[in-house]
Amino acid sequence: MNFGLDRLLSDDALRGQLKGRRVALLAHPASVTKDLGHAVDALAACPEIELTAAFGPQHGMKGDLQDNMMESPDYRDPVHGFPVFSLYGEVRRPKDEWMETFDVVLIDLQDLGCRIYTYVTTLLYVLEAAAKHGKSVWVLDRPNPAGRPVEGQTLKPGWESFVGAGPMPMRHGMTMGELGLWFIDRFRLDVDYRVVEMQGWAPEAGPGFGWPQGERSWVNPSPNAPNLSMARCYAGTVMLEGATLSEGRGTTRPLELFGAPDIDARAVIAEMRALAPEWLGGCVLRDMWFEPTFHKHVGKLCSGVQIHVDHPGYDHAAFRPWRVQALGFKAIRRLYPDYDLWRDFPYEYAFGKLPIDVINGGPGLREWVDDAAAGPGDLEAATRPDETAWEELRRGFLLY
């Protein structure tokens, strides 16, 4: 199959439409061609394309910065000489003067299919700036590795943030190109927009169910996104960033597991199975041990739960990572009623709110976990209508 970048590089007519126009590129380490050349170098080698600027999102163009609110500086590309502006540094929206350095911006970002992944919000901010300044936006589309399933509660009004660009569920099931179409409609943006579509993407086909396994190498789009398993789990395990439990940062399997020194993972799994076995389809839970080399519980032996989604029996349609992680929180709250579960710190520039609520776009998930009388049916009743509404709403914007 071909990603949007591959199509642009192989299509003379497409590239010809960029001739005589100043071109900027928004990219990160996973912005690579089929043969793993970076988009910057591949585009700079095209005689029709004049690259005059580049932009880096969270974690930077180089993908070197680990975590929340670690900002990247601006710099000049050491090979090609044009400026590289940081959209996760002094600002998160493009400065007006930056918008004067190009005529069309190519956005080539590998997403993980999750509302909280900040590249989604960066897409919206660039679209808004392009509309203001009369610039063109081309999204060079890439697969959603989490595929088409939808899960989680819709972000509530007033809870918009850098990890919540608009009223969508946690797992949106769309590509970046499709999300751009929805953003333009939702926010009534008057912008010249084009999606360079993929060829041959089959999001319902196994074994990848969104990612073309065996055809394309995985390149980390951010430092803790090392493989397809993480991408599949992320819409659930990302909630651990708002909890005192470790999400596996500082291990070789970040965001595929959770644990802490003071829980019994085997008991947690048993409680999860007793509470809502119907939420545990498609995956295998395994109790294990780990010791983070950095981040939460650094240097401490933790009892953990690993969520396996790479086994032969993996069921993509049945796996619901948001519910799996919600159930993990609920099991811990039931086993350890006084457990200090929720972190309180500035999360992605949303001050004065608990990170778990910022992540979920409202307090509903946390309140359900902490309510001793609330069961799985209550969360299901509060969530399923949001999922059904999004599945219907997004149909008009799907390209594949």
Side-chain angles (χ1 to χ4, degrees):
M1 68 165 296
N2 287 314
F3 296 175
L5 175 62
D6 304 308
R7 276 201 59 212
L8 178 62
L9 293 171
S10 63
D11 190 321
D12 294 343
L14 268 177
R15 294 196 314 280
Q17 295 176 44
L18 295 172
K19 192 170 184 178
R21 306 176 76 185
R22 298 170 302 158
V23 177
L25 174 67
L26 169 54
H28 57 22
S31 307
V32 295
T33 65
K34 193 176 293 187
D35 61 2
L36 298 178
H38 196 272
V40 165
D41 300 312
L43 293 168
C46 297
E48 309 95 328
I49 296 177
E50 179 193 4
L51 279 179
T52 57
F55 294 89
Q58 185 181 14
H59 309 293
M61 175 74 83
K62 300 173 182 176
D64 53 323
L65 295 177
Q66 268 285 334
D67 199 7
N68 169 60
M69 295 171 65
M70 291 185 175
E71 299 175 346
S72 301
D74 302 338
Y75 64 97
R76 284 201 169 267
D77 184 279
V79 175
H80 306 291
F82 50 71
V84 180
F85 302 118
S86 174
L87 293 175
Y88 197 84
E90 179 188 343
V91 296
R92 278 152 298 289
R93 294 177 181 270
K95 294 181 179 181
D96 289 344
E97 57 265 34
W98 296 350
M99 300 299 293
E100 299 308 317
T101 63
F102 65 89
D103 303 307
V104 55
V105 59
L106 309 179
I107 298 179
D108 186 27
L109 296 175
Q110 178 62 59
D111 185 39
L112 292 185
C114 184
R115 181 189 68 222
I116 194 177
Y117 210 45
T118 60
Y119 305 150
V120 172
T121 308
T122 294
L123 168 63
L124 172 61
Y125 290 177
V126 171
L127 285 170
E128 290 175 332
K132 175 183 176 183
H133 291 272
K135 305 298 181 178
S136 299
V137 178
W138 289 22
V139 170
L140 310 182
D141 220 4
R142 289 182 173 268
N144 178 338
R148 287 301 196 195
V150 169
E151 194 186 13
Q153 296 178 350
T154 299
L155 180 139
K156 303 299 184 284
W159 285 91
E160 295 82 5
S161 71
F162 196 54
V163 291
M168 67 179 81
M170 183 71 86
R171 188 177 179 188
H172 52 70
M174 299 173 76
T175 69
M176 288 286 273
E178 294 168 340
L179 279 171
L181 292 170
W182 178 70
F183 280 141
I184 289 167
D185 180 79
R186 169 73 190 180
F187 296 101
R188 296 183 174 87
L189 301 178
D190 182 11
V191 59
D192 180 39
Y193 180 73
R194 177 169 191 165
V195 181
V196 180
E197 298 178 22
M198 295 176 282
Q199 294 172 320
W201 187 50
E204 307 300 337
F209 300 103
W211 184 258
Q213 279 187 300
E215 294 186 60
R216 300 292 293 241
S217 296
W218 180 271
V219 177
N220 291 26
S222 57
N224 288 288
N227 53 47
L228 180 58
S229 291
M230 177 272 179
R232 288 173 172 170
C233 293
Y234 184 65
T237 55
V238 69
M239 291 192 288
L240 291 156
E241 295 184 4
T244 58
L245 307 169
S246 170
E247 64 270 26
R249 274 186 168 85
T251 77
T252 58
R253 309 300 296 207
L255 294 151
E256 295 176 54
L257 55 85
F258 64 92
D262 49 356
I263 68 167
D264 179 347
R266 186 167 295 191
V268 170
I269 292 172
E271 186 70 13
M272 292 171 70
R273 288 172 177 160
L275 275 171
E278 67 277 12
W279 286 5
L280 299 178
C283 65
V284 174
L285 303 183
R286 180 180 65 89
D287 63 283
M288 41 83 76
W289 299 92
F290 65 96
E291 184 178 300
T293 58
F294 59 86
H295 215 265
K296 286 179 275 184
H297 305 307
V298 58
K300 297 179 181 178
L301 182 63
C302 296
S303 178
V305 177
Q306 185 166 352
I307 305 166
H308 288 270
V309 290
D310 56 356
H311 54 288
Y314 170 67
D315 187 334
H316 187 69
F319 179 51
R320 296 186 288 178
W322 186 80
R323 283 169 172 78
V324 171
Q325 191 59 62
L327 193 58
F329 290 148
K330 190 70 168 178
I332 289 170
R333 178 61 78 222
R334 285 171 63 94
L335 290 169
Y336 314 100
D338 298 323
Y339 197 90
D340 183 18
L341 189 54
W342 309 122
R343 298 174 79 193
D344 187 0
F345 71 107
Y347 184 80
E348 295 298 353
Y349 305 96
F351 299 94
K353 298 178 179 179
L354 286 178
I356 189 65
D357 296 346
V358 176
I359 289 167
N360 276 289
L365 184 280
R366 173 182 54 82
E367 290 172 349
W368 174 79
V369 171
D370 289 343
D371 184 351
D378 298 296
L379 188 65
E380 193 70 48
T383 304
R384 189 60 196 143
D386 287 357
E387 295 166 340
T388 301
W390 179 255
E391 287 167 352
E392 180 62 31
L393 176 64
R394 71 172 183 172
R395 285 180 186 169
F397 306 101
L398 299 183
L399 298 173
Y400 310 93

